[in-house]
Amino acid sequence: GENVEQHPSTLSVQEGDSAVIKCTYSDSASNYFPWYKQELGKRPQLIIDIRSNVGEKKDQRIAVTLNKTAKHFSLHITETQPEDSAVYFCAASTIISWGKLQFGAGTQVVVTP
Amino acid sequence: DAGVTQSPTHLIKTRGQQVTLRCSPISGHKSVSWYQQVLGQGPQFIFQYYEKEERGRGNFPDRFSARQFPNYSSELNVNALLLGDSALYLCASRSDYTGELFFGEGSRLTVL
């Protein structure tokens, strides 16, 4: 089955700096890669996703890149703000089974003012 | 529009007991998935249901079971509870149009 590895486990950045989280996956059939943000005690919320027919996608300060050949994808947050502090999860799935996501272990991002 | 709703939000059980968790998907969503999230880890897939049929099962023992009703709501049942079943149980519904998965706030189960 699919295995998703996520690095780093913790990331501390100064406000205004950029943050990058990297994930690798094992199943070449995976073609849907969402990113979720989870604040303490809250539900995971989708912040951006990318499908395998796209190499990069941006939404304001957030961008995701996908390298299918190398089986890795990354989340980039620019101009970080204190409200970006949370745990971020990457995930992978196939189009056929979108309801079955394989999550990474998560990255705790701390943005210090 | 209401999001995914789950009940109860918190519950405490003792080892060996049984628990039933409930989920109502977003209106119009026919797919419901269940995930277990142990503290400090990512969610782990348990079940997926679509149109009342099981479409996927994760690596969980037979003590875990689920079903989906005609109105697309769902129940997750866990029998013979173990201490290790203590976790946040998340329900998610999926849009047929975008494929996006929307999570509920979860049911936090503590097994003593």
Side-chain angles (χ1 to χ4, degrees):
Chain A
E2 176 65 277
N3 182 49
V4 177
E5 295 193 358
Q6 182 172 347
H7 300 281
S9 57
T10 59
L11 182 58
S12 202
V13 296
Q14 290 282 336
E15 182 178 359
D17 288 349
S18 295
V20 180
I21 304 171
K22 298 182 179 182
C23 289
T24 60
Y25 62 98
S26 61
D27 189 352
S28 56
S30 290
N31 50 16
Y32 175 64
F33 307 93
W35 286 86
Y36 285 84
K37 174 184 180 182
Q38 188 174 30
E39 298 176 7
L40 191 62
K42 300 290 187 181
R43 63 188 172 92
Q45 288 192 281
L46 179 70
I47 56 172
I48 196 167
D49 59 11
I50 192 167
R51 289 157 174 75
S52 62
N53 58 344
V54 175
E56 182 176 359
K57 184 177 178 180
K58 294 182 76 172
D59 183 4
Q60 299 181 11
R61 297 185 297 108
I62 294 174
V64 57
T65 59
L66 171 65
N67 184 327
K68 284 223 75 180
T69 303
K71 294 184 191 170
H72 65 71
F73 55 112
S74 301
L75 179 72
H76 304 252
I77 307 173
T78 58
E79 300 171 23
T80 54
Q81 301 167 5
E83 52 264 38
D84 294 328
S85 296
V87 179
Y88 291 80
F89 293 98
C90 63
S93 178
T94 63
I95 294 291
I96 294 174
S97 58
W98 266 336
K100 178 182 178 181
L101 295 175
Q102 181 67 42
F103 282 85
T107 297
Q108 174 75 61
V109 173
V110 178
V111 181
T112 52
Chain B
D1 253 351
V4 178
T5 57
Q6 292 187 243
S7 64
T9 55
H10 295 82
L11 67 166
I12 300 174
K13 295 285 187 177
T14 56
R15 282 177 296 176
Q17 285 189 313
Q18 175 264 342
V19 68
T20 297
L21 308 177
R22 297 175 176 83
C23 171
S24 292
I26 293 171
S27 177
H29 288 191
K30 301 175 184 176
S31 172
V32 169
S33 299
W34 287 95
Y35 289 79
Q36 180 196 65
Q37 187 176 25
V38 173
L39 196 62
Q41 297 181 17
Q44 295 292 316
F45 171 75
I46 310 175
F47 286 109
Q48 181 192 9
Y49 277 80
Y50 184 79
E51 291 272 19
K52 296 170 289 179
E53 289 189 7
E54 182 183 303
R55 293 298 184 93
R57 174 185 285 253
N59 188 23
F60 281 81
D62 292 343
R63 299 184 296 106
F64 289 77
S65 63
R67 55 180 175 168
Q68 187 177 31
F69 299 100
N71 65 353
Y72 304 116
S73 66
S74 178
E75 286 183 351
L76 175 70
N77 294 284
V78 187
N79 294 322
L81 286 167
L82 303 174
L83 296 179
D85 294 331
S86 296
L88 179 68
Y89 288 85
L90 294 162
C91 174
S93 72
R94 179 173 68 85
S95 166
D96 281 356
Y97 299 103
T98 66
E100 293 179 24
L101 212 60
F102 297 88
F103 284 90
E105 295 290 350
S107 293
R108 185 163 297 283
L109 171 65
T110 301
V111 182
L112 302 177

